[in-house]
Structure formats: structure tokens, C-alpha cells
Amino acid sequence: MNWIERLRNRWKVSTVQVFIILIVFACTGFTILFLKEPILSLITSEKERSIWFTIAYYVLILPVYNIVLLFYGFVFGQFNFFWAFEKRMVQRFSRNKKASH
């Protein structure tokens, strides 16, 4: 079984949808990459950025990434898949939070 078939079975989608979903992930990643420097330049100069600033950026960019992911999912006609994907991710985070208490 090749990797495309494994994704198709895991996600319960067609082969075409696997490729569209991968394109959505790629577009989201590139968008976040291209937005990073302009957003950070508004906040502080490159010389003033510490490791803690970078860590904070990566923690805070997660909600932006999720919104961009849903946007591209909508544009490529896969909103329902990505909405379910987001809900599963939130459930995993909340389950881990409950397990640690």
C-alpha cells in the first residue's frame, strides 16, 4: 500500500481529494511563511528578537494558521474536511488538558 492509499484510507476520501488536501496544507504553510516577516517587522526589529520572542511567535501563530487552513479549505472545496480536522485537533488538545489534571 503506497502513501496515497494510506492517506485516502485514513482520511476516508478519494485519491483526488488527497491531492487537494495536500495542496491546501502546502498553500497554508507558504502563506504563513510569507506572512511571518511582515508581521514580525510591525512588532519589533530583527535585531531585537530573542529566542523567547520566537517561541511566543510560534505559539501565537497557531490560531492564524488554523484560520488560513480553513480559508484555503473553503477555496479548494474541502471546508468540511478541514472543519472536521480542526474539531478533532481541539478535542485532542482538550483531552490532553483533562488528562493532565
Side-chain angles (χ1 to χ4, degrees):
M1 182 180 290
N2 66 24
W3 63 275
I4 295 173
E5 289 179 26
R6 285 195 303 263
L7 288 176
R8 188 173 54 83
N9 291 336
R10 180 178 179 178
W11 292 337
K12 297 175 180 60
V13 297
S14 70
T15 303
V16 172
Q17 283 179 294
V18 168
F19 284 107
I20 294 171
I21 290 166
L22 293 175
I23 289 169
V24 169
F25 279 120
C27 290
T28 303
F30 277 114
T31 299
I32 296 302
L33 176 72
F34 289 122
L35 288 176
K36 178 183 178 183
E37 192 56 39
I39 290 172
L40 292 180
S41 294
L42 290 172
I43 299 169
T44 184
S45 71
E46 192 170 336
K47 296 175 186 174
E48 297 176 2
R49 297 179 196 159
S50 68
I51 187 70
W52 298 111
F53 183 84
T54 303
I55 292 169
Y57 166 79
Y58 285 114
V59 168
L60 297 174
I61 199 65
L62 184 61
V64 175
Y65 178 88
N66 291 332
I67 291 168
V68 173
L69 187 66
L70 289 173
F71 169 76
Y72 278 119
F74 174 77
V75 169
F76 284 92
Q78 298 299 315
F79 181 82
N80 290 336
F81 173 84
F82 285 101
W83 184 247
F85 182 86
E86 293 290 333
K87 288 194 287 189
R88 284 191 308 271
M89 187 175 66
V90 167
Q91 287 174 348
R92 284 185 202 128
F93 283 142
S94 64
R95 190 175 340 133
N96 290 340
K97 188 177 178 182
K98 290 177 185 174
S100 66
H101 288 296

